Amino acid sequence: MTLELTYNGETNIPVEIEGINPGTIQSLSNAEIEKLPVFHGKEKCVVGDFFKVSGDAADLHMQLSGTLTGVHWIGTKMEAGQITIEGDCGRHLGSEMRGGSITVNGNAGDWIGAEMKGGLIHVHGDGGHQVGAAYRGSVRGMNRGTIIIDGNAGNEIGLTMRRGLIVIGGNAGDLIGFNMLAGTIMVFGESGIRHGAGMRRGSIIFMGESHPKLLPSFRHAVRYQPEFMQVLLRKITATGFEIAQPILDSNFDLYHGDMIDGGRGEILLRA
Amino acid sequence: MNIGNTEVEDTFAEAFGMKYVRLIVTAADEYWLDAGLRELTGYSSSVIACDAEAGVEQYLSEEETPDGRIGAAVLIFGFSTDGLQKAVPNRVGQCVMTCPSTAVYDGLEDGDKQVALGKQIRFFGDGFQKAKILGDDRHWRIPVMDGEFLVQDVLNVRAGVAGGNVILQGSCKTSALAAARRGAEAVAATRGVIAPFPGGVARSGSKVGSIYKTLPASTSDAYCPTLKGRVESKLHADAVAAYEIVVDGVDEQAVGEAMAAVIQAAAGENIVRIGAGNYGGKLGKFHIQLHEILS
């Protein structure tokens, strides 16, 4: 049976529920869950102050509902289980998570999957800035796992990411893969400028009809059909993300870069 | 026991525990797929003198492969994981990476141990190789002259069973050869097994040891029709030719089912006896009784 957390808070101050994860509450009663600490701004409160708790946490499935745009750090450091969010939610969704899956049937704020280390986040709406990014001052961002956003996302996607896969179904902002260390970012819509600046390794793949202007420090190699792309696209479609057949059969223009940092990374533009 | 006029001996095949990997090989079309497979599974009839025993387990459609191209599952057996660690990268590096348009993936979801494949072959890329994690598995993209050779980082290794066998005897060589082919085709149609000898059939069955001290195996004189009268023959009085179908498989059940399919397919006109090879039960862990697998 699913544990249901129904948000009933009435505040404009951020509510932070870091640590309320399927694995950490699995063995707790609903009364014990209601007493777990959360933050209301800098004020220490308890879950019961903002959520109605019902159902059962034993099966590692949590469902959150209500107006959650002001509720942040959902699924942070999560290691197992499943979180389903009905509606929109706040920032830092799945930050540093290591396993399990989070599904958002709505939009999510900035820093989705920031510095995540495993698991799957699937946002069926839009995402914010810094998806899978490194926090300011950190040496690396996302380091495994998969983030899929069906809609649009903002700037600095995959900032300094080290491993993992980010898929943006719609449009994206500027500086995709800025300082990227490795990993894969795919964008199916249009995007802004200066992508891959300072990237050392990894792949940024633009799947849309029109492509962004690349930095002059990227050099064209060839138009070809890489075998890994077929494997990758099949893995993505297995998550429920739909990709049309013509896209599956596409060729790609390969660009090496960023040449100012070794040129071991690549940008692929669907031809 | 008889199947029609064919006698099935009350005996057993003595099989051995071995380690195996299962590779998925894909290519642009059937021509290049078969070219790669022939090279990969060549010189691999028996670990008596080869580094591994290998064969195509089954062909795969576009829907069954990781990259949506046609492919095949190949089973490669070795005495140990260390043996496979030497044989498999050598074979894939020399026989599949060299073949136009091919790619190689692990065909096992898990295993007891792993052997490095792309992790070892990647050095051919001379620093230009790229790692790519697809799903949960690391792959290597090695730049080659037609693009990239995509190969999985490691392969899972499992314990299998090798050396299951069926020996058929014919009163007519043509009939015996046709029966052997029917038997080999029965193995090819069975999942989880290979018949590693040429065309799936061995005509030079062997016994352990030799009068020559350096030879670990020598001709199975008891089944050689030309030696009737000189040795204690195991041939039927009317037999003029015998063929052995060796079966390696993912487990004892798979080997037993394949052997039963071989016997059913091979029995027929002019096939006077079907039996199996063993060493008195002293060497192999698995004793596969012919009458049991047919019941």
Side-chain angles (χ1 to χ4, degrees), chain A residues 55-75:
Chain A
D56 188 346
D59 69 352
L60 288 171
H61 184 199
M62 272 172 60
Q63 179 171 305
L64 292 90
S65 58
T67 307
L68 297 159
T69 49
V71 179
H72 310 295
W73 304 97
I74 298 172

Side-chain angles (χ1 to χ4, degrees), chain A residues 2-243:
Chain A
T2 301
L3 179 80
E4 295 185 20
L5 296 178
T6 307
Y7 186 70
N8 54 22
E10 294 180 1
T11 176
N12 293 324
I13 298 172
V15 175
E16 301 181 353
I17 65 165
E18 183 173 348
I20 314 296
N21 294 327
T24 56
I25 63 171
Q26 183 184 20
S27 58
L28 303 182
S29 67
N30 288 1
E32 290 171 317
I33 293 169
E34 286 176 349
K35 292 175 185 171
L36 289 172
V38 298
F39 277 88
H40 178 225
K42 65 180 182 181
E43 180 188 1
K44 197 170 184 179
C45 302
V46 294
V47 168
D49 293 335
F50 298 97
F51 292 91
K52 177 190 170 192
V53 179
S54 60
D56 188 346
D59 69 352
L60 288 171
H61 184 199
M62 272 172 60
Q63 179 171 305
L64 292 90
S65 58
T67 307
L68 297 159
T69 49
V71 179
H72 310 295
W73 304 97
I74 298 172
T76 294
K77 297 182 180 175
M78 172 178 173
E79 294 189 344
Q82 184 181 353
I83 295 177
T84 305
I85 299 168
E86 298 296 343
D88 301 341
C89 66
R91 297 183 293 272
H92 307 286
L93 173 76
S95 163
E96 297 183 68
M97 74 183 278
R98 291 181 173 273
S101 65
I102 300 175
T103 303
V104 182
N105 294 314
N107 305 316
D110 302 336
W111 302 103
I112 297 168
E115 300 190 10
M116 82 185 275
K117 297 170 176 65
L120 169 67
I121 300 174
H122 195 156
V123 178
H124 289 293
D126 296 333
H129 302 297
Q130 290 97 11
V131 175
Y135 286 116
R136 304 303 186 206
S138 289
V139 294
R140 65 178 63 92
M142 179 179 183
N143 196 12
R144 275 194 189 276
T146 301
I147 303 172
I148 298 175
I149 297 172
D150 290 347
N152 303 319
N155 300 326
E156 296 185 5
I157 294 165
L159 170 72
T160 324
M161 75 182 283
R162 175 67 182 84
R163 292 189 189 89
L165 170 65
I166 300 173
V167 179
I168 309 297
N171 302 327
D174 299 335
L175 290 165
I176 297 170
F178 182 71
N179 277 347
M180 186 175 182
L181 302 174
T184 306
I185 303 171
M186 300 183 85
V187 178
F188 282 76
E190 297 182 358
S191 59
I193 56 173
R194 296 175 186 158
H195 308 307
M199 75 184 292
R200 297 178 64 185
R201 291 187 299 275
S203 308
I204 304 173
I205 306 167
F206 291 101
M207 306 291 291
E209 295 292 329
S210 61
H211 298 306
K213 183 180 178 183
L214 301 186
L215 291 167
S217 50
F218 282 80
R219 288 188 191 155
H220 185 253
V222 70
R223 176 172 290 188
Y224 78 133
Q225 195 170 45
E227 270 83 26
F228 87 90
M229 192 68 73
Q230 293 297 320
V231 183
L232 180 59
L233 293 173
R234 282 167 169 251
K235 298 276 186 190
I236 294 170
T237 54
T239 66
F241 185 89
E242 293 183 5
I243 301 173

Side-chain angles (χ1 to χ4, degrees), chain A residues 144 146 163-165 183-184 202-203 224 226-232 234-235 254 256 263-266 268, chain B residues 62-69 101-103 105 127 130 132-139 141 147-148 150:
Chain A
R144 275 194 189 276
T146 301
R163 292 189 189 89
L165 170 65
T184 306
S203 308
Y224 78 133
E227 270 83 26
F228 87 90
M229 192 68 73
Q230 293 297 320
V231 183
L232 180 59
R234 282 167 169 251
K235 298 276 186 190
L254 169 65
H256 297 297
R264 288 170 293 177
E266 64 187 7
L268 289 152
Chain B
E62 290 92 336
E63 290 74 31
E64 296 173 301
T65 62
D67 60 19
R69 306 186 302 172
S101 82
T102 55
Y105 310 94
K130 290 179 176 177
K132 183 60 66 185
I133 295 176
L134 304 171
D136 296 326
D137 304 312
R138 183 190 302 274
H139 296 65
R141 298 160 57 196
E148 292 170 340
L150 183 65

